[in-house]
Amino acid sequence: MSAAPDDPVYRNPVLDADWSDPDVIRVGDDFYLTASSFGRVPGLPLLHSRDLVNWTLVGHALHRLEPESEFAVPRHDCGVWAPSLRHHDGRFWIFWGDPDQGIFQVNAPEIRGPWTRPHLIKAGKGLIDPCPLWDDETGEAYLVHAWAKSRSGVKNRLTGHRMHPHGTELLDEGKVIVDGDRIPGWFTLEGPKLHKHDGWFWILAPAGGVETGWQGAFRSRAFFGPYEEKVVLEQKDTDVNGPHQGGWVRTPSGEDWFLHFQQRGAYGRVVHLQPMEWDPDGWPVIGDNGAPVAGHRRPDLPPQRPAAPATDDDFPGGRPGRQWQWTANPRDGWATHHSADGLRLTCVRTPDAHDLRALPHVLTQRLPGAPCTVEVDLRLDDGEPGARAGLAVLGDAYSWIGLERGTDGAVMLVHRFAETAAERERDAALPRPAPGGRARLRVDIGAGARCSFSYDTGDGGGDGAGEGFRPSGQVFAATPWRWVGALLGLAALAPTGQGHAGTATFTQFRIRIQEKRADR
């Protein structure tokens, strides 16, 4: 939650949406953050801040997922897991693990690119959460990573490698440097972040699972160990469950801070900022003596204007803003660039028109972590029977409201949903006429990500203003995917057939956040 420049205190979360598995660095006076993007494209979001509280989205480092054929269809919980962001030798570096492919790396001279194509530095199943370290004292380079049991049969351990200083290959077969099975009570050790500080090799790594776990710190005088460990952040008596996995950063004045996530169901993994100090024995102390803080004195940094990653969009020239991601690698023809405002999507013909979860051409952005109202104008342009478009809340279950052209050419307002285990969607409300093929669509998202849908077709008054918004269907509780929070989506589609099925134009996409957080 952004803070006013004259407010000496900030409130958590500082990024109140699904910026999963954050990592952060400082370069000069600027802070940069990246996060998991899983199967969405573009991937590897890049955020910028000057005060660690107010963040803006400045781009992405990954424009297509590879191998491209693997991500021609949605793979919502696959792809980019837990990246690490570093700056070395005048370049930005990002390492991440694809649990089905291995460990990848990209780099660039500037945060806005150009970024290299993904380079696979270690192939294998279940290789996740890599983090590099260039040791400025010795000139050597290292890499540590974790394991996904779902692919490898192995978890709860960290493997270390020597790495070539140019960052494109590993120099050995790797060695287990921390075995969580040998630490009483520890399980699901993952997400390591590697540092060199005060003569020690440090690994900051979470354990215990995303909803219930804790943040650990490991230190050794030698990279390959042995390491000693300590729990440095846990829930204690706060309402911040599973506070862990993130990045440590130091300000120019020498303050230390830790950014981590909290798993919040359909909202995904929101990001908190914690103060960090060092105890007399040289161990980090995060938050309030190891418990997460809800708010704190702001970092000792120049005041900044309130800022947050963009959500609203007028789609100038038909181009979606940086906040939007496709559910798979995009193809030519899904969206049309033009001279006016508005997103013009093609009603793509698909055999999966009965299930939005299977479509690669859904344009998505993160669900806000606070109660809000989402609205967009939709016009269904000339098209074939069955062509449809709308606004969705998309997860393992989903619901959407929009327009569909019938066999008689008339346009109807439709509202449909699909339960988690359902193979096909069904009506959430009976279809209604939509004169003129236009509607303004709304979703009010309240406590617990409970979604109330409504619409205004502009057909109720002589001045064309309509009767205002009318409710549609029952309340829908948004659900996450396995690792990804629920998403807001815009989609246009049509059943299989011959020829062009038409287009849909979205305009004036808006999200209004309610000031009072009803579920926090």
Side-chain angles (χ1 to χ4, degrees):
M1 183 178 295
S2 301
D6 57 350
D7 188 345
V9 175
Y10 71 87
R11 302 289 298 176
N12 276 317
V14 293
L15 284 167
D16 200 3
D18 187 23
W19 301 96
S20 178
D21 313 318
D23 195 22
V24 62
I25 60 170
R26 177 177 66 87
V27 181
D29 294 327
D30 298 286
F31 298 91
Y32 300 103
L33 180 148
T34 192
S36 295
S37 51
F38 298 97
R40 303 192 303 279
V41 182
L44 290 173
L46 302 167
L47 285 78
H48 170 256
S49 177
R50 284 288 184 93
D51 64 359
L52 291 172
V53 174
N54 296 283
W55 293 88
T56 57
L57 179 63
V58 297
H60 292 81
L62 186 62
H63 298 292
R64 296 189 75 81
L65 286 161
E66 296 188 3
E68 291 197 19
S69 61
E70 295 286 333
F71 293 95
V73 296
R75 301 182 67 204
H76 297 286
D77 292 308
C78 301
V80 176
W81 283 22
S84 292
L85 175 63
R86 293 293 182 265
H87 189 261
H88 167 70
D89 197 24
R91 297 186 71 84
F92 291 88
W93 303 77
I94 301 179
F95 289 69
W96 76 94
D98 178 321
D100 300 302
Q101 307 293 333
I103 295 171
F104 288 90
Q105 170 259 101
V106 292
N107 61 87
E110 304 289 343
I111 195 69
R112 291 173 174 82
W115 289 85
T116 60
R117 285 190 62 175
H119 175 75
L120 184 64
I121 66 170
K122 183 180 180 181
K125 296 282 189 179
L127 308 177
I128 59 170
D129 309 351
C131 184
L133 171 70
W134 287 270
D135 188 339
D136 293 333
E137 297 177 5
T138 65
E140 295 185 312
Y142 305 94
L143 183 133
V144 63
H145 69 82
W147 295 85
K149 186 175 182 180
S150 59
R151 273 70 164 188
S152 65
V154 175
K155 74 168 188 175
N156 205 33
R157 65 185 61 171
L158 306 179
T159 295
H161 291 268
R162 294 187 183 277
M163 183 176 73
H164 195 289
H166 57 41
T168 57
E169 63 178 308
L170 303 178
L171 302 180
D172 57 32
E173 294 300 314
K175 175 185 176 183
V176 175
I177 57 176
V178 180
D179 186 346
D181 290 344
R182 295 180 177 273
I183 308 174
W186 284 59
F187 60 97
T188 317
L189 176 62
E190 57 188 352
K193 296 294 181 282
L194 182 59
H195 302 272
K196 186 79 177 289
H197 170 67
D198 197 25
W200 296 88
F201 287 91
W202 287 92
I203 299 174
L204 301 180
V210 295
E211 294 185 352
T212 58
W214 57 89
Q215 178 66 37
F218 300 81
R219 70 181 183 183
S220 173
R221 291 295 185 184
F223 171 70
F224 287 102
Y227 283 85
E228 52 184 327
E229 82 284 341
K230 185 176 183 180
V231 175
V232 293
L233 182 69
E234 55 187 326
Q235 181 172 352
K236 295 190 177 180
D237 60 354
T238 74
D239 64 353
V240 182
N241 60 294
H244 66 243
Q245 188 155 335
W248 160 38
V249 68
R250 175 165 287 178
T251 69
S253 65
E255 288 185 344
D256 292 304
W257 296 86
F258 186 74
L259 283 146
H260 68 91
F261 77 70
Q262 174 199 10
Q263 173 70 35
R264 290 192 57 227
Y267 300 115
R269 300 173 182 181
V270 303
V271 178
H272 293 239
L273 176 66
Q274 303 293 338
M276 177 172 155
E277 297 179 341
W278 301 85
D279 71 15
D281 294 324
W283 288 94
V285 179
I286 300 176
D288 180 8
N289 196 31
V293 299
H296 193 268
R297 172 189 58 80
R298 293 166 58 103
D300 181 20
L301 294 163
Q304 304 295 316
R305 292 182 178 180
T311 56
D312 295 354
D313 206 346
D314 289 319
F315 309 105
R319 294 171 172 82
R322 295 188 182 102
Q323 65 268 35
W324 297 98
Q325 296 169 293
W326 299 101
T327 48
N329 281 330
R331 304 173 201 167
D332 291 340
W334 288 356
T336 302
H337 296 167
H338 52 86
S339 59
D341 288 352
L343 177 68
R344 190 176 298 162
L345 294 183
T346 299
C347 295
V348 177
R349 292 193 181 275
T350 172
D352 296 312
H354 57 279
D355 191 346
L356 294 187
R357 294 165 296 196
L359 303 184
H361 53 277
V362 181
L363 197 60
T364 67
Q365 66 166 282
R366 292 161 178 82
L367 186 75
C372 64
T373 297
V374 182
E375 291 185 8
V376 67
D377 283 332
L378 170 62
R379 183 183 74 243
L380 192 62
D381 300 321
D382 60 305
E384 297 294 311
R388 67 200 73 159
L391 168 66
V393 177
L394 186 65
D396 207 25
Y398 72 85
S399 186
W400 71 277
I401 190 168
L403 301 173
E404 180 174 356
R405 190 173 298 277
T407 55
D408 60 357
V411 176
M412 304 294 287
L413 190 290
V414 297
H415 181 190
R416 298 191 176 118
F417 77 105
E419 299 169 87
T420 298
E423 296 181 359
R424 302 181 67 89
E425 65 186 24
R426 57 194 181 97
D427 286 334
L430 294 176
R432 305 167 179 85
R438 296 172 178 266
R440 184 143 183 93
L441 311 172
R442 174 187 286 178
V443 185
D444 290 295
I445 305 173
R450 293 172 60 82
C451 303
S452 299
F453 289 78
S454 56
Y455 66 95
D456 182 359
T457 54
D459 61 343
D463 60 359
E467 296 178 348
F469 282 90
R470 309 175 203 177
S472 179
Q474 301 300 315
V475 171
F476 169 76
T479 64
W481 311 92
R482 185 176 184 187
W483 306 124
V484 181
L487 300 165
L488 298 172
L490 303 177
L493 59 145
T496 55
Q498 300 297 316
H500 183 61
T503 60
T505 301
F506 295 87
T507 54
Q508 297 184 10
F509 183 91
R510 299 288 184 269
I511 297 180
R512 298 195 305 274
I513 302 295
Q514 298 177 20
E515 291 187 6
K516 184 177 180 180
R517 296 170 56 89
D519 62 343
R520 294 287 294 159

